């Protein structure tokens, strides 16, 4: 069942909260994404929060304030928990009730008494510290961009657009324990690699450190083991979408990948943004998911009218790259790529229908990586090794700097947003990480 | 630090508990493995238990009885929890104290008052229902038998002894949510496959269902992200070892495997035995882990004198296969293979040293699959497709039946034990599962 556009998507709606009404802000009243946070200085008081302008609605405080009723009130109280799993468990009707309740409290024209009570629940966003928003049972990383598969295969010297690519959304299991929230530094990993021309492999600090710009899809409702999810019910299982950086060690990957897939090349660090944008907030930004001319039609379990017409999401994904020298000179990180998730070969619904076709059970709080988001054009590649053609064409930065692969002190910042005439801009915040030197060998 | 042989390994020691002193039993006083159980009829009262003869020491009851002191008492109380993670968290000194305390309470000659108090804590094993013993954060499945790699590659028509095999213990991330305890039925999965000669793939019920006989290594102590575990400290992270059946859909696997490794071919079901045999119980059964003549020496981070001399474990692993017709005729499942984990190319310590060399954090309760255990000889292969040479040489069973792959109604039973002159037999119990028909397409 697809979520319809309703009054919470009305571009004309404005909030009384500071910073919520600018045209370029990430968090207008039409967005209302969720995170888990505490104030700097508090030790263990993690709770749910909803972004609005420059502030966060402290959902613990809001639940105590008893301004909501029925399903919305129950959903607000579930946000007292230090993970969003309790909220997810309540299901889509409760999620929607909470969104609509928050919208009414935060909009211009809300009754003054309610407004004062909500104002007492606001925390300045700059005072907040975040953590990963869900208890993640399992993390699956897909591989769904044909452009990425083509680019990265060329870059790594592997045949990565395999014959199965056009028949099913390929994926591997990632490691849930590797997932950390934006801001966590990323230590350059050690690993076994066999440099070009070497006769034997060696243990070394990664020499080809890379990022992958992806979306994080949060499972809000599970399926029982043995019970598959039909494609047109797949999105009912999704609470929302955030950003994900699948940090990758290409030299380790190319040596270990065959026959079992990526392992230590990926499980040292995976970054996610604090904010999860709900599927309801994304309703206006659906996109068609046509099959390229001449490609095979998906098998019936991966195909539906609904999916073909509107299974995609036009989510713009940007990558900025900063260096230590840039930072010291007071210059901002430089944008190195921008593309949209609508170019992806497989949709979110197809990923879930495929993942569960064998009866595999998804669970509340699980994370699904969308696969690297790379588009068709120059400057649309979601990994540095794609942009630099495996290092042979370093990406120019400012002041004569360039990058073939990531260097120590580099910062990678993913950001995302949806924009469309007639609708408010919906932002994802960002997902950042700085590369730290490897430990000694 | 390796665990030394001590008085709890003394073959002469006997227990006053019924069924503990036979020469062929799995659970003599020298074993004392852990599980999580409840009595049939109880709803939610999961707690830790220790096997002795035909009984289980109810660790919740034992903790209440206050028969132990100090670290042993604290460890017994931690077993009140519905998973063993709380016990694991206390660390190796506490695990050892509990083993030694239990040994003293259960041995012949224990003071009559203590004996009566412990007897009140015994539950007949046949009255118990089990669950997976730990909260599993992540599940990694290794691939460490050269014989298996060679056999299975031949069986699947893939090159699976890749050039990296002799340089590092290969692995992929499995799915923690797929793990269930012995006795859970296994539903034949649906999946996408491309049958031989077919022009396009199709969705079908798996036609090449298989098992893989493995060990389950339980992580008892984690490492911080970014902190690698040196090979000679690796076993300090291990609480103990159980049995694991990595159910595998070969037709799905062969179509999906390249380039990202097994995914839906494996994550529909993974079975584990209820019992975890502690590393201390296994101390007498260590084995050398020599490199075959002519093979490269492991890189320094995967090599040590200790590992070479005694990194292996001589754990015998048997597979029995029963069919519906056999069962109806009142006949017992037939043994189809037997081999030992000592033939494995890579050791437990090497797996952990490799898994963490990039800083990947293992966590308390994680499960590591050893990889299929296949030995060098005929009848030593740990998967049916190896024994049947990919179906071309069906394995004969009783009364004219044979199996190329598993059929509906088949039961696969793994069992394991250690046996050696001068020591009591240490058994692992078993890990069983029956194949149920696929859902309708």
């Amino acid at each position: 069942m697809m979520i319809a556009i309703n009054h919470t998507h009305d571009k004309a709606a404005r909030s009384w909260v500071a910073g919520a009404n600018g045209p370029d802000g990430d968090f207008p009243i039409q967005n209302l994404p969720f995170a888990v946070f505490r104030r700097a200085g508090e030790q263990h008081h993690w709770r749910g929060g909803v972004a609005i302008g420059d502030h966060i609605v402290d959902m613990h405080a809001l639940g105590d304030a008893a301004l909501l009723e029925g399903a919305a009130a129950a959903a607000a109280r579930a946000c007292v928990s230090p993970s969003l799993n309790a909220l997810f468990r309540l299901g889509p009707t409760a999620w929607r009730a909470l969104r609509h309740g928050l919208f009414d409290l935060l909009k211009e024209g809300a009754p003054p008494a309610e407004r004062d009570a909500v104002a007492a629940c606001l925390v300045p966003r700059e005072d907040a510290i975040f953590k990963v928003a869900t208890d993640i049972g399992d993390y699956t990383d897909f591989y769904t961009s044909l452009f990425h598969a083509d680019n990265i295969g060329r870059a790594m010297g592997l045949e990565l657009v395999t014959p199965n690519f056009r028949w099913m959304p390929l994926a591997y299991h990632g490691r849930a324990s590797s997932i950390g929230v934006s801001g966590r530094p990323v230590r350059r990993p050690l690993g076994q690699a066999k440099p070009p021309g070497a006769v034997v492999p060696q243990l070394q600090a990664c020499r080809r450190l890379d990022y992958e710009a992806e979306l994080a899809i949060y499972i809000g409702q599970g399926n029982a083991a043995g019970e598959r999810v039909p494609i047109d019910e797949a999105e009912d299982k999704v609470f929302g979408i955030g950003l994900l950086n699948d940090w990758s060690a290409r030299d380790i990957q190319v040596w270990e990948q065959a026959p079992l897939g990526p392992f230590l090349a990926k499980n040292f660090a995976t970054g996610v943004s604090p904010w999860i944008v709900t599927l309801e907030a994304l309703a206006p930004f659906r996109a068609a998911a046509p099959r390229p001319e001449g490609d095979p039609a998906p098998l019936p379990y991966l195909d539906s009218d609904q999916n073909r017409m509107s299974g995609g999401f036009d989510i713009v994904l940007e990558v900025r790259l900063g260096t230590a020298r840039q930072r010291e000179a007071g210059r901002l990180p430089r944008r190195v790529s921008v593309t949209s998730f609508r170019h992806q070969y497989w949709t979110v619904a197809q990923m879930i229908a495929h993942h569960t076709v064998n009866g595999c059970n998804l669970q509340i709080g699980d994370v699904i990586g969308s696969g690297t988001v790379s588009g068709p054009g120059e400057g649309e590649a979601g990994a540095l090794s794609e942009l630099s053609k495996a290092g042979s064409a370093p990406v120019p930065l400012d002041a004569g700097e360039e990058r073939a692969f990531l260097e120590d002190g580099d910062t990678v910042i993913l950001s995302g947003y949806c924009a469309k005439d007639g609708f408010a801009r919906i932002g994802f915040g960002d997902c950042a990480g700085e590369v730290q030197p490897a430990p000694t060998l």
Side-chain angles (χ1 to χ4, degrees), chain A residues 322-327 331 395-403 407 410:
Chain A
T323 71
R325 214 203 293 169
Q326 224 170 12
R327 196 165 50 243
R331 292 195 310 273
V395 175
L397 302 172
D398 296 331
E401 283 197 288
E402 57 179 27
R403 283 293 179 273
E407 297 187 7
D410 286 355

mmCIF file of all heavy atoms in Angstrom, chain A residues 322-327 331 395-403 407 410:
data_model
loop_
_atom_site.group_PDB
_atom_site.id
_atom_site.type_symbol
_atom_site.label_atom_id
_atom_site.label_comp_id
_atom_site.label_asym_id
_atom_site.label_seq_id
_atom_site.Cartn_x
_atom_site.Cartn_y
_atom_site.Cartn_z
ATOM 1 N N GLY A 322 36.746 16.656 2.216
ATOM 2 C CA GLY A 322 37.622 17.677 2.794
ATOM 3 C C GLY A 322 38.964 17.073 3.131
ATOM 4 O O GLY A 322 39.058 15.880 3.422
ATOM 5 N N THR A 323 40.013 17.877 3.078
ATOM 6 C CA THR A 323 41.339 17.380 3.445
ATOM 7 C C THR A 323 41.836 18.163 4.659
ATOM 8 O O THR A 323 41.305 19.226 4.985
ATOM 9 C CB THR A 323 42.335 17.573 2.293
ATOM 10 O OG1 THR A 323 42.613 18.979 2.157
ATOM 11 C CG2 THR A 323 41.781 17.049 0.982
ATOM 12 N N ALA A 324 42.872 17.643 5.297
ATOM 13 C CA ALA A 324 43.433 18.331 6.459
ATOM 14 C C ALA A 324 43.940 19.719 6.054
ATOM 15 O O ALA A 324 43.746 20.706 6.769
ATOM 16 C CB ALA A 324 44.567 17.492 7.058
ATOM 17 N N ARG A 325 44.591 19.801 4.893
ATOM 18 C CA ARG A 325 45.143 21.079 4.459
ATOM 19 C C ARG A 325 44.032 22.097 4.182
ATOM 20 O O ARG A 325 44.147 23.277 4.553
ATOM 21 C CB ARG A 325 45.992 20.867 3.190
ATOM 22 C CG ARG A 325 47.191 21.813 3.146
ATOM 23 C CD ARG A 325 47.715 22.048 1.740
ATOM 24 N NE ARG A 325 48.303 20.852 1.171
ATOM 25 C CZ ARG A 325 48.623 20.757 -0.116
ATOM 26 N NH1 ARG A 325 48.405 21.783 -0.954
ATOM 27 N NH2 ARG A 325 49.143 19.646 -0.591
ATOM 28 N N GLN A 326 42.967 21.609 3.553
ATOM 29 C CA GLN A 326 41.800 22.443 3.292
ATOM 30 C C GLN A 326 41.229 23.002 4.603
ATOM 31 O O GLN A 326 40.933 24.188 4.713
ATOM 32 C CB GLN A 326 40.734 21.542 2.648
ATOM 33 C CG GLN A 326 40.010 22.104 1.477
ATOM 34 C CD GLN A 326 39.166 21.019 0.808
ATOM 35 O OE1 GLN A 326 38.949 19.928 1.337
ATOM 36 N NE2 GLN A 326 38.703 21.328 -0.393
ATOM 37 N N ARG A 327 41.108 22.108 5.580
ATOM 38 C CA ARG A 327 40.537 22.496 6.867
ATOM 39 C C ARG A 327 41.424 23.537 7.543
ATOM 40 O O ARG A 327 40.941 24.536 8.069
ATOM 41 C CB ARG A 327 40.381 21.244 7.748
ATOM 42 C CG ARG A 327 39.477 21.430 8.944
ATOM 43 C CD ARG A 327 39.066 20.097 9.571
ATOM 44 N NE ARG A 327 40.204 19.226 9.815
ATOM 45 C CZ ARG A 327 40.374 18.031 9.231
ATOM 46 N NH1 ARG A 327 39.482 17.576 8.379
ATOM 47 N NH2 ARG A 327 41.430 17.293 9.516
ATOM 48 N N ARG A 331 39.106 26.430 4.497
ATOM 49 C CA ARG A 331 38.223 26.245 3.339
ATOM 50 C C ARG A 331 37.272 25.072 3.587
ATOM 51 O O ARG A 331 37.573 24.136 4.328
ATOM 52 C CB ARG A 331 39.054 25.988 2.078
ATOM 53 C CG ARG A 331 39.858 27.226 1.626
ATOM 54 C CD ARG A 331 40.367 27.049 0.191
ATOM 55 N NE ARG A 331 41.045 25.764 0.021
ATOM 56 C CZ ARG A 331 42.337 25.555 0.266
ATOM 57 N NH1 ARG A 331 43.101 26.532 0.697
ATOM 58 N NH2 ARG A 331 42.867 24.371 0.089
ATOM 59 N N VAL A 395 41.066 12.815 -8.527
ATOM 60 C CA VAL A 395 40.014 13.829 -8.535
ATOM 61 C C VAL A 395 40.604 15.147 -8.054
ATOM 62 O O VAL A 395 41.166 15.208 -6.953
ATOM 63 C CB VAL A 395 38.861 13.384 -7.611
ATOM 64 C CG1 VAL A 395 37.804 14.467 -7.507
ATOM 65 C CG2 VAL A 395 38.264 12.074 -8.110
ATOM 66 N N PRO A 396 40.536 16.218 -8.856
ATOM 67 C CA PRO A 396 41.097 17.501 -8.427
ATOM 68 C C PRO A 396 40.270 18.110 -7.296
ATOM 69 O O PRO A 396 39.041 18.104 -7.342
ATOM 70 C CB PRO A 396 41.011 18.364 -9.693
ATOM 71 C CG PRO A 396 39.982 17.719 -10.560
ATOM 72 C CD PRO A 396 39.926 16.274 -10.201
ATOM 73 N N LEU A 397 40.978 18.612 -6.282
ATOM 74 C CA LEU A 397 40.333 19.353 -5.198
ATOM 75 C C LEU A 397 40.814 20.799 -5.291
ATOM 76 O O LEU A 397 41.242 21.236 -6.359
ATOM 77 C CB LEU A 397 40.666 18.702 -3.848
ATOM 78 C CG LEU A 397 40.256 17.220 -3.747
ATOM 79 C CD1 LEU A 397 40.795 16.596 -2.478
ATOM 80 C CD2 LEU A 397 38.734 17.081 -3.807
ATOM 81 N N ASP A 398 40.778 21.547 -4.191
ATOM 82 C CA ASP A 398 41.217 22.945 -4.245
ATOM 83 C C ASP A 398 42.732 23.046 -4.087
ATOM 84 O O ASP A 398 43.376 22.152 -3.556
ATOM 85 C CB ASP A 398 40.556 23.729 -3.101
ATOM 86 C CG ASP A 398 39.056 23.761 -3.276
ATOM 87 O OD1 ASP A 398 38.596 23.700 -4.435
ATOM 88 O OD2 ASP A 398 38.350 23.826 -2.252
ATOM 89 N N ALA A 399 43.258 24.172 -4.529
ATOM 90 C CA ALA A 399 44.650 24.561 -4.255
ATOM 91 C C ALA A 399 45.645 23.479 -4.647
ATOM 92 O O ALA A 399 46.607 23.202 -3.920
ATOM 93 C CB ALA A 399 44.815 24.929 -2.770
ATOM 94 N N GLY A 400 45.384 22.836 -5.768
ATOM 95 C CA GLY A 400 46.355 21.871 -6.283
ATOM 96 C C GLY A 400 46.296 20.502 -5.659
ATOM 97 O O GLY A 400 47.020 19.590 -6.065
ATOM 98 N N GLU A 401 45.432 20.345 -4.661
ATOM 99 C CA GLU A 401 45.310 18.994 -4.085
ATOM 100 C C GLU A 401 44.467 18.110 -5.003
ATOM 101 O O GLU A 401 43.601 18.582 -5.739
ATOM 102 C CB GLU A 401 44.670 19.066 -2.698
ATOM 103 C CG GLU A 401 45.626 19.522 -1.619
ATOM 104 C CD GLU A 401 45.078 19.183 -0.233
ATOM 105 O OE1 GLU A 401 44.122 19.841 0.192
ATOM 106 O OE2 GLU A 401 45.609 18.262 0.398
ATOM 107 N N GLU A 402 44.691 16.802 -4.911
ATOM 108 C CA GLU A 402 43.878 15.844 -5.648
ATOM 109 C C GLU A 402 43.861 14.530 -4.879
ATOM 110 O O GLU A 402 44.668 14.324 -3.984
ATOM 111 C CB GLU A 402 44.443 15.632 -7.066
ATOM 112 C CG GLU A 402 45.893 15.157 -7.073
ATOM 113 C CD GLU A 402 46.433 14.925 -8.479
ATOM 114 O OE1 GLU A 402 45.943 15.568 -9.417
ATOM 115 O OE2 GLU A 402 47.345 14.084 -8.620
ATOM 116 N N ARG A 403 42.934 13.680 -5.229
ATOM 117 C CA ARG A 403 42.808 12.410 -4.507
ATOM 118 C C ARG A 403 42.530 11.271 -5.480
ATOM 119 O O ARG A 403 41.561 11.314 -6.245
ATOM 120 C CB ARG A 403 41.653 12.454 -3.505
ATOM 121 C CG ARG A 403 41.921 13.208 -2.233
ATOM 122 C CD ARG A 403 42.964 12.514 -1.367
ATOM 123 N NE ARG A 403 43.228 13.258 -0.151
ATOM 124 C CZ ARG A 403 44.132 14.247 -0.056
ATOM 125 N NH1 ARG A 403 44.853 14.605 -1.098
ATOM 126 N NH2 ARG A 403 44.316 14.852 1.108
ATOM 127 N N GLU A 407 43.136 9.826 1.966
ATOM 128 C CA GLU A 407 44.356 9.948 2.774
ATOM 129 C C GLU A 407 43.977 10.241 4.229
ATOM 130 O O GLU A 407 42.857 10.656 4.514
ATOM 131 C CB GLU A 407 45.242 11.049 2.183
ATOM 132 C CG GLU A 407 45.671 10.666 0.760
ATOM 133 C CD GLU A 407 46.697 11.617 0.138
ATOM 134 O OE1 GLU A 407 47.194 12.516 0.839
ATOM 135 O OE2 GLU A 407 46.981 11.427 -1.060
ATOM 136 N N ASP A 410 41.531 13.067 5.804
ATOM 137 C CA ASP A 410 40.411 13.402 4.908
ATOM 138 C C ASP A 410 39.068 13.199 5.637
ATOM 139 O O ASP A 410 38.928 12.296 6.460
ATOM 140 C CB ASP A 410 40.407 12.504 3.663
ATOM 141 C CG ASP A 410 41.499 12.877 2.668
ATOM 142 O OD1 ASP A 410 42.202 13.885 2.889
ATOM 143 O OD2 ASP A 410 41.647 12.148 1.657
#
